[in-house]
Amino acid sequence: WKTLRSSGYAHYPFGDAEIEAVRESSRLIDAAAGVTTNGVSGWAFDDGPSAAYVNGALVTGGFFDVLGVKPLLGRSFAASDDKEGSQDVLVISAGLWHRRYGASPDVIGRRVNLGGRPFRIVGVMPPDLDYPRGVEAWRTTQSVPISKMFGDAARREVDMIARLRPGVTIDQATGELAVLTRDFETRATRNVPKGLTPIVRPFQSVIVGDTRPAILALLAAVAFVLLIATANVANLLLMRGEARRAELAIRAALGAGRRRLASQLLMESALLAFLASLVGVAVTWWSLQALTTFVPDGLPRVESVRVDGVVVALVAGVAFITSLLAGVAPAFLSSRLEIVRELLGGGRSVSGPAAKTGRRTLVVAQVALAVTVVAAAGLLTRTLLRLQAVDTGVAADRLVFVSLELPQLKYAGRAAHARFLSDIVESLHGVRGIEAVTPVNASPFAGGWTVPKFSAEGQTEERAAMNPALNLESVHHNYFEALGVSIVRGRPFTEADREGTLDVAIVSEDVADRTWPGVDPIGKRLKMGVPTSTDRWRTVVGIAAATRYRDLTEPRATLYLPAAQFIDAARTLALRTAAPLDLVASTVRERVTLLDPDVQVMRVVPFTSRLDVPLARPRFNAFLLSLFGAAALFLATIGHYAVISSYVRQSEREIALRVALGATPGNVQRLVIGEASWLVGAGVAIGLAVAAAAAQLLRGLAFGIDTLDPVSLTLAALLLIAASAVASYGPLRRATRVDALAMLRT
């Protein structure tokens, strides 16, 4: 695709004619095809008594050949399918084939209607093909008739997908396409922006998209939790080795060498890891299906998530490595025995400084890793809370969206389309419980039209080039009332703003502030395109509050035009209603059927459901990372408890001597608390430093807060301090109850 850096327009499409020119002119590209810029869209799929929405994509004829994908059944698109006047054909996904046709082989040749046009199914694609993401059916761009409203837009708004010749790099292809793009601009017959730059990405990065930062963050959390668990096992084995020193001394006295003792201890830790890995794989197998139900739509490759040979081999490898990590140090320290001293000590030997230092180091590392994971979980949780609380600029309460499917041929003309929309709005306007209704071109967070360049009256071409790209909304006069978008200055549109009257516009506050700073924008004029474009001048009559209708993370600069003066192509109704959703749905279906039985009501969804779409992935990320954070906190607490318990047990004789010499319970408590405090203090300090360094990994996932969020870091530190206090409570009580007299007798 292309970008217009001067206006911030990040995704400008190629056209199928340009793609054809690339195929003919390029020396570096082996094959090229087109795929719809906006990803999948909903199609009314009618193959029998009932219609359903399917996610469809427009492509050019060579699409599947460029991908190198062979059909599971039937054939893919041939070159002849993409010619003017060719028969309309359809290729469907394996998922749709199974769901709709029960995987029946006689699906090939079956007839279906898409928007009132007959298509013939010619092929079924394999299940691992999910491009564009979520696609269920493909048709050619030539199958979309030239519209009286949009012309050949379907053929102009496609991205190029290409296969490079052997040895060609992305940078080389980008350079060649830059030359070809400049050539396209000079020969363009339409009003095409100047200064477009091609953007070329590897296919893999497009498929993975913006999921990479989240997956890397989750993978890091998994690694940290694994390290904490490994440290716990190492601590366990160290303490177990200390308790067995007398046994190991006897074995050594009977002839076992250090290598034999170390290998025995390593084998025990390996057996422990092997049994744990079997349990882990079993639990994963059992819980995977439940976990994948939480996966939001749009996450790539979800269908390939399964417990297979690769997963089992990975678990086995991890188990082997962790058993070595956990077992080497304990085996080495436990096998270093002074046999005579151990036998004379009768099993009451105190662990050496190396073992104590090792245990303490492991606890500090556990706390540090736990702080990092918990801080990351806190950051994503606070991001989710910020997203949920963001003001969209639209009065979301009691707002419902109704998707309509109008037959293409019947409503191809602008007048017929506008008349039906006017009739259905009038029919629903007086219904009890429906406060307001308006047609809209796009549902929230579902894309829409964009103006790459606009010019204000009096601007030079250089100044106009600095204007931002605009979201374009073609709206009816009651749009602002129905959606609850505030008009902060001027007036909204009225029924008087129709064809033949003064061309008017409403802009969002950010557009007004940037284009006419310090000046009243009411009465100013602007037009789409550069100052010399042939578009009509439009007078600004109102300033609307900025909204997040297209993108939840940031408000978009928006231009509103009256549908009667621009394009009246809406296929969605927005209703403000206090009535139950079922009642609204039945009422709308009844009124639509009375007006035209050929128009179908496909979806009736509240605004809150639409809001779930941009929130789905942040919720999933926060959910998973919170699970890892809880696991890290739990494991670190266990490790801390084990080490403090071991410290108290090893210090019982010292504590007895102190008590005998007059130490109070408070003195003993301070002794234990001091040991616990420096361990957790060092761990928290190191953990905060690691969390701050690792925060850059979460930069693309945070919203409304800095990645070095002091609240998340502070909460993580406090949670670990509280957990260490809980872990220290039992050993602390035991230390104050040491029987000094009994201990001294032994």
Side-chain angles (χ1 to χ4, degrees):
W1 60 89
K2 292 173 278 190
T3 184
L4 190 61
R5 300 189 192 281
S6 60
S7 69
Y9 188 18
H11 202 124
Y12 193 91
F14 276 77
D16 59 356
E18 292 175 331
I19 294 172
E20 182 64 33
V22 168
R23 279 199 295 261
E24 294 174 356
S25 306
S26 174
R27 296 178 295 103
L28 306 179
I29 290 175
D30 202 29
V35 56
T36 179
T37 292
N38 294 320
V40 298
S41 56
W43 296 345
F45 189 89
D46 190 354
D47 60 352
S50 63
Y53 255 146
V54 301
N55 291 325
L58 297 172
V59 299
T60 62
F63 175 74
F64 296 107
D65 293 334
V66 173
L67 286 179
V69 179
K70 301 298 181 184
L72 191 65
L73 194 68
R75 66 174 179 86
S76 60
F77 294 133
S80 58
D81 295 323
D82 201 20
K83 302 296 182 184
E84 195 72 44
S86 59
Q87 185 182 21
D88 291 337
V89 294
L90 192 71
V91 173
I92 64 174
S93 69
L96 183 62
W97 178 47
H98 280 270
R99 188 176 71 253
R100 194 83 178 176
Y101 302 106
S104 172
D106 62 5
V107 68
I108 303 300
R110 184 154 185 165
R111 302 277 178 173
V112 300
N113 282 326
L114 297 179
R117 288 172 63 92
F119 282 74
R120 182 169 59 90
I121 297 175
V122 297
V124 177
M125 283 294 133
D128 56 349
L129 179 60
D130 183 30
Y131 182 70
R133 192 178 297 169
V135 68
E136 296 175 296
W138 297 264
R139 60 190 277 200
T140 64
T141 55
Q142 294 291 337
S143 69
V144 180
I146 295 178
S147 166
K148 295 178 183 178
M149 286 188 283
F150 299 108
D152 62 344
R155 303 171 195 182
R156 290 186 278 107
E157 297 182 354
V158 291
D159 291 340
M160 182 169 68
I161 179 169
R163 186 172 292 277
L164 301 180
R165 297 185 187 277
V168 175
T169 66
I170 294 291
D171 289 341
Q172 290 172 331
T174 303
E176 184 185 59
L177 284 174
V179 175
L180 293 175
T181 297
R182 287 193 291 271
D183 185 49
F184 297 152
E185 290 177 4
T186 58
R187 293 189 287 115
T189 57
R190 297 181 295 107
N191 182 22
V192 176
K194 306 299 181 184
L196 291 166
T197 304
I199 300 295
V200 184
R201 293 284 183 269
F203 183 74
Q204 180 68 24
S205 70
V206 174
I207 291 295
V208 174
D210 57 358
T211 61
R212 182 182 295 275
I215 291 173
L216 290 176
L218 295 173
L219 185 62
V222 170
F224 283 9
V225 172
L226 180 64
L227 286 173
I228 294 171
T230 305
N232 256 347
V233 176
N235 255 332
L236 170 70
L237 295 176
L238 274 172
M239 289 183 285
R240 190 164 181 266
E242 291 168 13
R244 297 173 62 190
R245 290 174 75 88
E247 172 205 335
L248 296 175
I250 294 172
R251 291 179 180 273
L254 293 174
R258 178 183 294 180
R259 180 177 296 179
R260 175 66 182 271
L261 295 176
S263 64
Q264 177 186 335
L265 295 173
L266 278 175
M267 283 301 297
E268 290 175 359
S269 63
L271 180 61
L272 180 68
F274 173 72
L275 294 174
S277 65
L278 291 181
V279 175
V281 169
V283 172
T284 302
W285 193 295
W286 172 75
S287 62
L288 183 62
Q289 190 63 39
L291 184 61
T292 52
T293 59
F294 290 97
V295 176
D297 293 336
L299 198 68
R301 306 301 192 199
V302 172
E303 71 284 348
S304 65
V305 177
R306 64 179 69 91
V307 179
D308 55 14
V310 175
V311 173
V312 174
L314 177 65
V315 170
V318 168
F320 176 73
I321 293 171
T322 52
S323 67
L324 286 179
L325 290 174
V328 165
F332 175 74
L333 293 173
S334 299
S335 61
R336 294 177 63 187
L337 297 169
E338 296 181 26
I339 299 174
V340 175
R341 181 185 172 192
E342 295 296 336
L343 293 177
L344 289 174
R348 294 197 308 268
S349 59
V350 178
S351 58
K356 287 182 179 179
T357 302
R359 289 202 309 270
R360 289 168 172 169
T361 302
L362 290 173
V363 169
V364 170
Q366 283 180 308
V367 173
L369 293 172
V371 167
T372 304
V373 179
V374 173
L379 181 69
L380 293 194
T381 301
R382 279 175 46 77
T383 288
L384 177 60
L385 294 176
R386 287 290 181 94
L387 282 170
Q388 289 175 329
V390 73
D391 181 9
T392 62
V394 175
D397 60 310
R398 300 177 289 115
L399 195 60
V400 174
F401 289 88
V402 180
S403 300
L404 305 175
E405 184 62 34
L406 282 67
Q408 290 181 6
L409 297 178
K410 190 173 184 177
Y411 292 100
R414 177 173 178 174
H417 193 108
R419 187 165 52 252
F420 174 81
L421 291 178
S422 177
D423 290 345
I424 189 61
V425 169
E426 183 66 26
S427 176
L428 292 170
H429 189 69
V431 174
R432 183 179 179 183
I434 296 180
E435 301 170 16
V437 56
T438 185
V440 294
N441 281 305
S443 298
F445 319 116
W449 301 334
T450 305
V451 178
K453 278 190 175 183
F454 80 94
S455 303
E457 191 172 22
Q459 285 185 335
T460 63
E461 202 157 326
E462 291 76 16
R463 174 65 183 83
M466 300 168 62
N467 291 334
L470 301 176
N471 288 339
L472 176 59
E473 304 291 350
S474 179
V475 304
H476 288 68
H477 66 89
N478 51 352
Y479 174 90
F480 298 97
E481 175 195 359
L483 269 71
V485 178
S486 301
I487 299 295
V488 297
R489 196 180 310 168
R491 66 169 178 87
F493 297 135
T494 68
E495 292 186 82
D497 297 317
R498 58 183 183 273
E499 192 70 34
T501 64
L502 176 70
D503 292 311
V504 295
I506 292 175
V507 297
S508 56
E509 286 181 285
D510 46 356
V511 177
D513 293 341
R514 182 167 171 175
T515 309
W516 300 283
V519 179
D520 185 3
I522 303 299
K524 301 296 184 182
R525 298 202 303 172
L526 54 75
K527 65 178 177 179
M528 292 180 282
V530 297
T532 56
S533 76
T534 57
D535 187 60
R536 295 178 289 186
W537 287 105
R538 305 173 193 275
T539 302
V540 176
V541 296
I543 308 300
T547 70
R548 299 172 188 261
Y549 188 82
R550 295 270 193 102
D551 186 348
L552 186 62
T553 59
E554 61 179 348
R556 297 282 188 89
T558 304
L559 170 66
Y560 300 93
L561 299 179
Q565 293 182 350
F566 184 58
I567 295 175
D568 201 355
R571 292 174 179 267
T572 301
L573 301 176
L575 290 79
R576 183 163 300 285
T577 174
L581 191 64
D582 291 344
L583 180 59
V584 172
S586 62
T587 301
V588 172
R589 287 192 172 93
E590 177 187 329
R591 297 303 174 99
V592 168
T593 303
L594 285 174
L595 284 175
D596 188 344
D598 293 332
V599 176
Q600 299 181 66
V601 176
M602 303 303 297
R603 289 174 182 161
V604 181
V605 295
F607 181 84
T608 51
S609 295
R610 293 293 186 186
L611 198 59
D612 286 340
V613 174
L615 288 176
R617 196 172 292 176
R619 279 181 184 144
F620 186 63
N621 295 340
F623 167 71
L624 280 186
L625 208 52
S626 295
L627 284 182
F628 295 138
L633 187 64
F634 178 69
L635 290 172
T637 304
I638 291 175
H640 191 82
Y641 170 81
V643 168
I644 298 301
S645 293
S646 175
Y647 170 77
V648 170
R649 189 174 61 252
Q650 296 286 347
S651 304
E652 282 179 344
R653 298 174 73 184
E654 176 190 345
I655 292 171
L657 285 170
R658 288 175 179 270
V659 171
L661 294 172
T664 65
N667 298 134
V668 176
Q669 288 176 353
R670 282 192 290 274
L671 182 69
V672 178
I673 291 173
E675 175 75 6
S677 297
W678 88 260
L679 288 176
V680 73
V684 166
I686 295 172
L688 290 175
V690 174
Q696 300 305 314
L697 187 64
L698 302 174
R699 183 176 295 278
L701 304 177
F703 168 78
I705 53 177
D706 189 74
T707 49
L708 296 177
D709 177 38
V711 175
S712 300
L713 294 174
T714 302
L715 285 176
L718 291 177
L719 273 175
L720 265 296
I721 292 171
S724 71
V726 171
S728 303
Y729 178 73
L732 186 64
R733 281 175 57 87
R734 192 163 58 249
T736 58
R737 294 179 178 181
V738 170
D739 188 338
L741 188 59
M743 181 63 67
L744 292 176
R745 285 202 184 103
T746 60

